[in-house]
Amino acid sequence: MKIPKHVAVIMDGNGRWAQSRSLPRVAGHYEGVKRAEELVYTCMEYGISYLTLYAFSTENWKRPKEEVRALFSLFESYMKSKREEFIEHQISVNFIGRRDRLPKSLVKIMQETETITQNLNKIKVYIAIDYGGRDEILRAVNKILKSGAKEVDEISFSSFLDLCNVPDPDILIRTAGEKRLSNFLLWNLAYTELYFTDVYWPDFTKEEFLRALEDYAKRKRKFGALT
Ligand code: FPP
């Protein structure tokens, strides 16, 4: 089977999953973390080298304060409790997005996690927190202006983006029925295969992921050329 090198995921539907069970929305996020972790292991099993997960967007600040707080505290406690496991399984964990608006304690854990896992190479996991595609492009443009460069091409421009040195995603998976990009990896998804499923993220099991991989394997990728 043709296996993607890089899988990107918009993990949508945690809230609806919880509401459909009369649980608080945050229960959906807790269950969602478990699926994210399982997905990392399934990706390793299938030899997928890069996994990028959309955990919190630049637009998610519009959510109620308590939910935002609960998400940050979930990210923080998860990273803290899993570090040994990342090392044991050779999982490199990195973060994309801006860090200037996040709680300092979370940023500290993010930096520490990146540092202690940076040379691990079974899989590279990128977690997008306070990430927006437009924000990323603007940050890149401002870095370029500061660097004094007068002109850039696709390759040099990419080197200013958050996922520099990472191949573009081969497949983007979005759960929970919405069919949009929601400001995710706008530059990198130019030629990515899109896979949408109605399944809520907390129900996105290994079996569902294998369905997405099977679908991807059947796609003919042309990158604008003739086959
Ligand atoms: C979208 O569902 C989901 C989020 C905004 C949070 C995603 C975060 C996780 C699954 C946790 C991942 C954690 C780590 C450490 C990788 P929603 O709340 O928008 O659902 P709804 O559309 O049904 O309301």
Side-chain angles (χ1 to χ4, degrees), residues 33-65:
V33 176
K34 295 186 200 161
R35 292 300 92 69
E37 182 175 311
E38 285 163 17
L39 180 60
V40 172
Y41 287 99
T42 308
C43 284
M44 289 199 287
E45 189 188 329
Y46 281 81
I48 292 162
S49 309
Y50 304 91
L51 173 66
T52 303
L53 301 168
Y54 206 3
F56 190 89
S57 75
T58 46
E59 288 69 39
N60 285 152
W61 290 103
K62 294 179 203 153
R63 294 189 175 210
K65 272 201 180 73

Side-chain angles (χ1 to χ4, degrees), residues 191-205:
Y191 280 100
T192 300
E193 296 295 324
L194 307 179
Y195 180 86
F196 299 106
T197 169
D198 287 336
V199 170
Y200 293 148
W201 176 251
D203 289 327
F204 193 79
T205 54

Side-chain angles (χ1 to χ4, degrees), residues 10-19 25 28-34 36-37 53-57 60 63 67 71 74-75 78-79 95 125 127 129 174 176 178 200-201:
I10 302 178
M11 307 176 286
D12 200 6
N14 292 350
R16 278 166 281 170
W17 179 89
Q19 273 155 2
R25 291 178 53 82
H29 299 316
Y30 280 108
E31 197 62 22
V33 176
K34 295 186 200 161
E37 182 175 311
L53 301 168
Y54 206 3
F56 190 89
S57 75
N60 285 152
R63 294 189 175 210
E67 184 171 341
L71 276 168
L74 176 61
F75 299 153
Y78 182 78
M79 290 304 147
F95 298 90
V125 179
I127 303 176
I129 299 182
R174 180 169 189 151
E178 310 314 332
Y200 293 148
W201 176 251

